[in-house]
Amino acid sequence: MKSVVIIPAYNESQKIYHVVQSVVNRGYDVVVVDDGSGDNTAHEARRAGAVVLSHCINRGYGAALTTGNGWAYRNNYDIAVHFDADGQHNPDEIENITAPIQKREADIVIGSRFIESDANGANNTRMARMRIPIVRKILIRLATKFTRVVSGIQLTDAHNGFRALSREALGKINCMQDGMSYASEVVDQIAEHGWRYKEVPNTIVYTQYSRQKGESNVKKILLGVRFLWGKVIK
Amino acid sequence: MYIQIITTIVVLLLIFRIGARLKKKEITFKEAIFWGVLWFAVGIVVLYPGIADSVAARIGLRTATGIDLVVYIATGVLFYLVFRLFVKIEKMERDITKIVRRFAIKEDDKKE
């Protein structure tokens, strides 16, 4: 099965080269959606071996991923993986996230920081090892509960940007949210289309850089409102 | 008294402007009717405040006066208009994204 890794990027010239290179070195095709960056993100991504699609103005995380999804579908990829540009995700885990689709066990696979990666008990979950900031941890839990109520999908980690979509899902996905609330909308799409879904453990590396690039906790809370509003307009 | 004269002049000006914009086809007939009726009602209430009082009494607002009723209606209308604006902005945002996306894909096709 032909896989492509979609990386949405906005002003990531510092990190994008290494992130793309780490994925390309593992034998995956990479498409970077440069979301109206004002720096050298597109150039650096191309230099590292990615195909670059450029948004002429900044439209947001969800908009960039939707552009990437459409491109992947048109270019006949069987699996599309969503991967962060700031180095938070581990390229070695791409294999794990695509595996359920390759085995035809799922249409969509979502990474989770909360499920145990090994059998050594609760204290050895990835979550425990990752040292996620406490406020962020609470917000992730709340977002997960919120998604469970709104979409009725039982996930352990609703706002994880590491996911894989099968070709069938790529053809049907119809996300309208341009911003970060895209993550909630994807879960909503699982319910809408009745896709088979699976969660796999993944690691998120919280660095000073990724924390600076990430959204504030207040903005994260407002995402729920944004998502519901988008649902009303749809 | 002055307030009545000033408001009447403003209302007449606004109604003329609605007519002018309709003539230039900057607004639809439906929109012109909506705004025309709204400003006409404002003019009537300003010239004959007693009408608002009797309407308020008739619909059962015992403690409120006519001017309170006007404020209630104005608030309701404002809420509705803000909602419509939000919806319109959201749709425009989505359209902008579609254009940006199409442009990005076209640029990529050109390279190939």
Side-chain angles (χ1 to χ4, degrees):
Chain A
M1 278 188 175
K2 214 166 102 176
S3 304
V4 63
V5 176
I6 303 168
I7 306 179
Y10 177 60
N11 291 340
E12 296 281 5
S13 61
Q14 273 186 52
K15 283 262 175 183
I16 197 75
Y17 179 84
H18 295 290
V19 171
V20 170
Q21 207 182 38
S22 67
V23 178
V24 168
N25 285 346
R26 281 160 181 83
Y28 296 101
D29 290 350
V30 176
V31 58
V32 168
V33 184
D34 173 29
D35 193 21
S37 299
D39 61 5
N40 279 332
T41 300
H43 173 75
E44 289 294 306
R46 252 182 228 115
R47 203 164 66 84
V51 170
V52 176
L53 302 174
S54 290
H55 281 180
C56 50
I57 50 171
N58 181 248
R59 297 309 299 155
Y61 170 80
L65 282 176
T66 302
T67 301
N69 288 343
W71 184 90
Y73 189 75
R74 272 175 25 130
N75 286 279
N76 298 317
Y77 283 97
D78 302 302
I79 302 172
V81 178
H82 295 170
F83 198 84
D84 279 3
D86 56 8
Q88 275 198 330
H89 294 154
N90 179 356
D92 287 329
E93 292 175 344
I94 296 174
E95 208 181 320
N96 306 341
I97 207 151
T98 57
I101 296 177
Q102 277 171 341
K103 288 183 210 152
R104 300 187 194 282
E105 290 170 1
D107 301 306
I108 184 163
V109 187
I110 299 182
S112 172
R113 291 160 276 195
F114 292 89
I115 48 178
E116 283 178 43
S117 55
D118 38 44
N120 296 337
N123 289 332
N124 208 16
T125 62
R126 284 171 186 247
M127 191 73 184
R129 279 187 269 123
M130 273 186 279
R131 294 202 183 121
I132 299 176
I134 184 75
V135 180
R136 183 53 56 90
K137 206 184 256 185
I138 295 166
L139 283 178
I140 297 166
R141 291 281 193 197
L142 283 175
T144 305
K145 288 221 160 67
F146 171 81
T147 312
R148 207 170 279 186
V149 170
V150 175
S151 309
I153 298 289
Q154 302 278 329
L155 290 177
T156 58
D157 185 1
H159 265 256
N160 198 307
F162 190 47
R163 53 182 95 78
L165 287 90
S166 68
R167 180 158 181 79
E168 200 203 331
L170 274 179
K172 285 184 183 163
I173 193 165
N174 182 28
C175 284
M176 308 297 255
Q177 306 260 352
D178 285 344
M180 295 299 286
S181 46
Y182 177 89
S184 297
E185 206 182 7
V186 168
V187 182
D188 217 36
Q189 290 277 301
I190 297 176
E192 195 178 315
H193 297 288
W195 289 332
R196 291 166 304 155
Y197 63 95
K198 205 169 179 185
E199 282 189 296
V200 295
N202 86 307
T203 331
I204 305 275
V205 183
Y206 286 93
T207 60
Q208 191 64 29
Y209 178 81
S210 73
R211 277 183 214 192
Q212 272 171 5
K213 295 291 290 186
E215 289 187 307
S216 70
N217 289 328
V218 176
K219 270 196 176 167
K220 288 264 177 205
I221 295 168
L222 289 176
L223 284 181
V225 181
R226 186 74 195 71
F227 167 67
L228 288 177
W229 172 247
K231 245 173 114 79
V232 170
I233 303 298
K234 203 171 183 178
Chain B
M1 261 309 162
Y2 283 126
I3 186 79
Q4 283 182 319
I5 295 166
I6 294 166
T7 315
T8 310
I9 292 169
V10 170
V11 165
L12 284 175
L13 275 174
L14 285 169
I15 290 176
F16 272 122
R17 267 195 62 80
I18 292 165
R21 290 186 68 188
L22 179 66
K23 215 173 166 187
K24 283 187 196 164
K25 290 186 177 165
E26 286 173 5
I27 52 172
T28 63
F29 185 69
K30 257 168 124 179
E31 283 169 331
I33 291 288
F34 171 78
W35 289 111
V37 167
L38 187 90
W39 288 117
F40 182 73
V42 170
I44 292 293
V45 170
V46 167
L47 289 176
Y48 308 101
I51 291 178
D53 287 336
S54 64
V55 172
R58 195 165 292 180
I59 63 169
L61 288 174
R62 281 186 201 148
T63 53
T65 60
I67 197 68
D68 292 328
L69 177 66
V70 171
V71 173
Y72 296 158
I73 293 171
T75 311
V77 170
L78 274 178
F79 266 117
Y80 172 69
L81 291 178
V82 169
F83 176 76
R84 272 192 48 164
L85 268 179
F86 267 111
V87 172
K88 206 158 208 174
I89 290 169
E90 180 74 27
K91 290 203 168 137
M92 278 170 75
E93 290 266 359
R94 284 179 187 177
D95 287 343
I96 292 170
T97 301
K98 276 185 202 159
I99 295 167
V100 169
R101 179 168 300 132
R102 191 163 288 184
F103 195 66
I105 297 278
K106 247 190 186 161
E107 286 290 300
D108 181 63
D109 287 347
K110 264 190 219 165
K111 277 177 210 152
E112 284 169 12

mmCIF file of all heavy atoms in Angstrom, chain B residues 56-79:
data_model
loop_
_atom_site.group_PDB
_atom_site.id
_atom_site.type_symbol
_atom_site.label_atom_id
_atom_site.label_comp_id
_atom_site.label_asym_id
_atom_site.label_seq_id
_atom_site.Cartn_x
_atom_site.Cartn_y
_atom_site.Cartn_z
ATOM 1 N N ALA B 56 -47.381 48.136 23.834
ATOM 2 C CA ALA B 56 -46.801 47.462 25.008
ATOM 3 C C ALA B 56 -47.902 46.982 25.945
ATOM 4 O O ALA B 56 -47.867 45.856 26.449
ATOM 5 C CB ALA B 56 -45.851 48.411 25.736
ATOM 6 N N ALA B 57 -48.893 47.846 26.170
ATOM 7 C CA ALA B 57 -49.988 47.480 27.063
ATOM 8 C C ALA B 57 -50.793 46.326 26.475
ATOM 9 O O ALA B 57 -51.188 45.392 27.181
ATOM 10 C CB ALA B 57 -50.889 48.689 27.288
ATOM 11 N N ARG B 58 -51.007 46.377 25.142
ATOM 12 C CA ARG B 58 -51.829 45.359 24.483
ATOM 13 C C ARG B 58 -51.177 43.972 24.525
ATOM 14 O O ARG B 58 -51.868 42.975 24.670
ATOM 15 C CB ARG B 58 -52.098 45.779 23.045
ATOM 16 C CG ARG B 58 -53.218 44.990 22.416
ATOM 17 C CD ARG B 58 -53.710 45.636 21.148
ATOM 18 N NE ARG B 58 -54.396 46.899 21.396
ATOM 19 C CZ ARG B 58 -54.919 47.658 20.430
ATOM 20 N NH1 ARG B 58 -54.796 47.301 19.175
ATOM 21 N NH2 ARG B 58 -55.533 48.770 20.708
ATOM 22 N N ILE B 59 -49.837 43.934 24.401
ATOM 23 C CA ILE B 59 -49.204 42.599 24.412
ATOM 24 C C ILE B 59 -48.892 42.132 25.837
ATOM 25 O O ILE B 59 -48.276 41.089 26.033
ATOM 26 C CB ILE B 59 -47.940 42.523 23.524
ATOM 27 C CG1 ILE B 59 -46.842 43.469 24.030
ATOM 28 C CG2 ILE B 59 -48.241 42.762 22.060
ATOM 29 C CD1 ILE B 59 -45.503 43.232 23.362
ATOM 30 N N GLY B 60 -49.304 42.920 26.816
ATOM 31 C CA GLY B 60 -49.227 42.433 28.196
ATOM 32 C C GLY B 60 -48.009 42.875 28.985
ATOM 33 O O GLY B 60 -47.708 42.307 30.030
ATOM 34 N N LEU B 61 -47.259 43.870 28.467
ATOM 35 C CA LEU B 61 -46.129 44.395 29.246
ATOM 36 C C LEU B 61 -46.681 45.412 30.238
ATOM 37 O O LEU B 61 -46.828 46.591 29.922
ATOM 38 C CB LEU B 61 -45.097 45.052 28.322
ATOM 39 C CG LEU B 61 -44.253 44.124 27.448
ATOM 40 C CD1 LEU B 61 -43.402 44.945 26.494
ATOM 41 C CD2 LEU B 61 -43.353 43.257 28.302
ATOM 42 N N ARG B 62 -47.020 44.955 31.436
ATOM 43 C CA ARG B 62 -47.731 45.826 32.376
ATOM 44 C C ARG B 62 -46.846 46.918 32.962
ATOM 45 O O ARG B 62 -47.239 48.062 33.067
ATOM 46 C CB ARG B 62 -48.308 44.982 33.514
ATOM 47 C CG ARG B 62 -49.573 44.290 33.058
ATOM 48 C CD ARG B 62 -50.246 43.557 34.187
ATOM 49 N NE ARG B 62 -51.108 42.544 33.626
ATOM 50 C CZ ARG B 62 -51.367 41.400 34.197
ATOM 51 N NH1 ARG B 62 -50.842 41.103 35.358
ATOM 52 N NH2 ARG B 62 -52.167 40.533 33.627
ATOM 53 N N THR B 63 -45.633 46.516 33.350
ATOM 54 C CA THR B 63 -44.784 47.516 34.002
ATOM 55 C C THR B 63 -43.963 48.320 32.992
ATOM 56 O O THR B 63 -43.497 49.403 33.295
ATOM 57 C CB THR B 63 -43.808 46.839 34.994
ATOM 58 O OG1 THR B 63 -43.132 45.814 34.280
ATOM 59 C CG2 THR B 63 -44.536 46.260 36.175
ATOM 60 N N ALA B 64 -43.806 47.764 31.786
ATOM 61 C CA ALA B 64 -42.943 48.434 30.818
ATOM 62 C C ALA B 64 -43.703 49.494 30.044
ATOM 63 O O ALA B 64 -44.899 49.375 29.813
ATOM 64 C CB ALA B 64 -42.369 47.409 29.859
ATOM 65 N N THR B 65 -42.962 50.505 29.633
ATOM 66 C CA THR B 65 -43.577 51.529 28.778
ATOM 67 C C THR B 65 -43.222 51.206 27.329
ATOM 68 O O THR B 65 -42.485 50.266 27.049
ATOM 69 C CB THR B 65 -43.028 52.920 29.144
ATOM 70 O OG1 THR B 65 -41.621 52.873 28.930
ATOM 71 C CG2 THR B 65 -43.342 53.291 30.564
ATOM 72 N N GLY B 66 -43.740 52.027 26.432
ATOM 73 C CA GLY B 66 -43.508 51.790 25.002
ATOM 74 C C GLY B 66 -42.044 51.801 24.638
ATOM 75 O O GLY B 66 -41.582 50.990 23.845
ATOM 76 N N ILE B 67 -41.298 52.692 25.283
ATOM 77 C CA ILE B 67 -39.881 52.808 24.920
ATOM 78 C C ILE B 67 -39.111 51.541 25.310
ATOM 79 O O ILE B 67 -38.171 51.127 24.642
ATOM 80 C CB ILE B 67 -39.243 54.095 25.523
ATOM 81 C CG1 ILE B 67 -37.919 54.418 24.818
ATOM 82 C CG2 ILE B 67 -39.047 53.996 27.017
ATOM 83 C CD1 ILE B 67 -38.105 54.852 23.387
ATOM 84 N N ASP B 68 -39.567 50.897 26.421
ATOM 85 C CA ASP B 68 -38.944 49.621 26.819
ATOM 86 C C ASP B 68 -39.168 48.578 25.725
ATOM 87 O O ASP B 68 -38.258 47.835 25.364
ATOM 88 C CB ASP B 68 -39.542 49.106 28.131
ATOM 89 C CG ASP B 68 -39.157 49.986 29.296
ATOM 90 O OD1 ASP B 68 -38.042 50.540 29.250
ATOM 91 O OD2 ASP B 68 -39.966 50.143 30.221
ATOM 92 N N LEU B 69 -40.399 48.569 25.209
ATOM 93 C CA LEU B 69 -40.723 47.606 24.144
ATOM 94 C C LEU B 69 -39.813 47.824 22.929
ATOM 95 O O LEU B 69 -39.294 46.874 22.349
ATOM 96 C CB LEU B 69 -42.192 47.764 23.736
ATOM 97 C CG LEU B 69 -42.656 46.865 22.592
ATOM 98 C CD1 LEU B 69 -42.632 45.402 23.013
ATOM 99 C CD2 LEU B 69 -44.061 47.248 22.136
ATOM 100 N N VAL B 70 -39.600 49.115 22.597
ATOM 101 C CA VAL B 70 -38.725 49.440 21.467
ATOM 102 C C VAL B 70 -37.318 48.878 21.721
ATOM 103 O O VAL B 70 -36.689 48.291 20.833
ATOM 104 C CB VAL B 70 -38.675 50.969 21.232
ATOM 105 C CG1 VAL B 70 -37.598 51.318 20.209
ATOM 106 C CG2 VAL B 70 -40.030 51.466 20.767
ATOM 107 N N VAL B 71 -36.830 49.052 22.964
ATOM 108 C CA VAL B 71 -35.482 48.556 23.296
ATOM 109 C C VAL B 71 -35.439 47.030 23.190
ATOM 110 O O VAL B 71 -34.491 46.460 22.648
ATOM 111 C CB VAL B 71 -35.052 49.030 24.709
ATOM 112 C CG1 VAL B 71 -33.734 48.375 25.117
ATOM 113 C CG2 VAL B 71 -34.900 50.533 24.735
ATOM 114 N N TYR B 72 -36.501 46.348 23.662
ATOM 115 C CA TYR B 72 -36.541 44.882 23.573
ATOM 116 C C TYR B 72 -36.451 44.437 22.111
ATOM 117 O O TYR B 72 -35.672 43.557 21.762
ATOM 118 C CB TYR B 72 -37.850 44.306 24.152
ATOM 119 C CG TYR B 72 -38.066 44.534 25.635
ATOM 120 C CD1 TYR B 72 -39.354 44.477 26.181
ATOM 121 C CD2 TYR B 72 -36.994 44.796 26.479
ATOM 122 C CE1 TYR B 72 -39.565 44.689 27.532
ATOM 123 C CE2 TYR B 72 -37.205 45.015 27.830
ATOM 124 C CZ TYR B 72 -38.485 44.966 28.351
ATOM 125 O OH TYR B 72 -38.693 45.185 29.675
ATOM 126 N N ILE B 73 -37.297 45.086 21.293
ATOM 127 C CA ILE B 73 -37.318 44.694 19.874
ATOM 128 C C ILE B 73 -35.960 44.980 19.220
ATOM 129 O O ILE B 73 -35.415 44.150 18.494
ATOM 130 C CB ILE B 73 -38.457 45.425 19.115
ATOM 131 C CG1 ILE B 73 -39.808 44.924 19.640
ATOM 132 C CG2 ILE B 73 -38.362 45.179 17.614
ATOM 133 C CD1 ILE B 73 -41.006 45.699 19.136
ATOM 134 N N ALA B 74 -35.408 46.180 19.533
ATOM 135 C CA ALA B 74 -34.112 46.547 18.943
ATOM 136 C C ALA B 74 -33.045 45.527 19.325
ATOM 137 O O ALA B 74 -32.225 45.118 18.481
ATOM 138 C CB ALA B 74 -33.708 47.936 19.408
ATOM 139 N N THR B 75 -33.045 45.091 20.590
ATOM 140 C CA THR B 75 -32.053 44.107 21.032
ATOM 141 C C THR B 75 -32.228 42.797 20.255
ATOM 142 O O THR B 75 -31.248 42.196 19.793
ATOM 143 C CB THR B 75 -32.198 43.837 22.553
ATOM 144 O OG1 THR B 75 -32.254 45.078 23.225
ATOM 145 C CG2 THR B 75 -31.039 43.029 23.080
ATOM 146 N N GLY B 76 -33.494 42.389 20.114
ATOM 147 C CA GLY B 76 -33.777 41.151 19.371
ATOM 148 C C GLY B 76 -33.292 41.238 17.936
ATOM 149 O O GLY B 76 -32.630 40.333 17.433
ATOM 150 N N VAL B 77 -33.603 42.385 17.308
ATOM 151 C CA VAL B 77 -33.187 42.581 15.915
ATOM 152 C C VAL B 77 -31.664 42.559 15.819
ATOM 153 O O VAL B 77 -31.080 41.934 14.926
ATOM 154 C CB VAL B 77 -33.764 43.912 15.354
ATOM 155 C CG1 VAL B 77 -33.141 44.249 14.004
ATOM 156 C CG2 VAL B 77 -35.275 43.809 15.214
ATOM 157 N N LEU B 78 -30.999 43.228 16.787
ATOM 158 C CA LEU B 78 -29.530 43.249 16.779
ATOM 159 C C LEU B 78 -28.954 41.848 16.897
ATOM 160 O O LEU B 78 -28.026 41.474 16.166
ATOM 161 C CB LEU B 78 -29.006 44.103 17.935
ATOM 162 C CG LEU B 78 -28.890 45.594 17.631
ATOM 163 C CD1 LEU B 78 -28.412 46.331 18.871
ATOM 164 C CD2 LEU B 78 -27.910 45.844 16.487
ATOM 165 N N PHE B 79 -29.495 41.060 17.801
ATOM 166 C CA PHE B 79 -29.030 39.675 17.972
ATOM 167 C C PHE B 79 -29.147 38.911 16.659
ATOM 168 O O PHE B 79 -28.230 38.214 16.238
ATOM 169 C CB PHE B 79 -29.856 38.951 19.045
ATOM 170 C CG PHE B 79 -29.229 39.020 20.410
ATOM 171 C CD1 PHE B 79 -29.870 39.665 21.459
ATOM 172 C CD2 PHE B 79 -27.996 38.423 20.647
ATOM 173 C CE1 PHE B 79 -29.290 39.732 22.719
ATOM 174 C CE2 PHE B 79 -27.411 38.490 21.905
ATOM 175 C CZ PHE B 79 -28.059 39.153 22.934
#
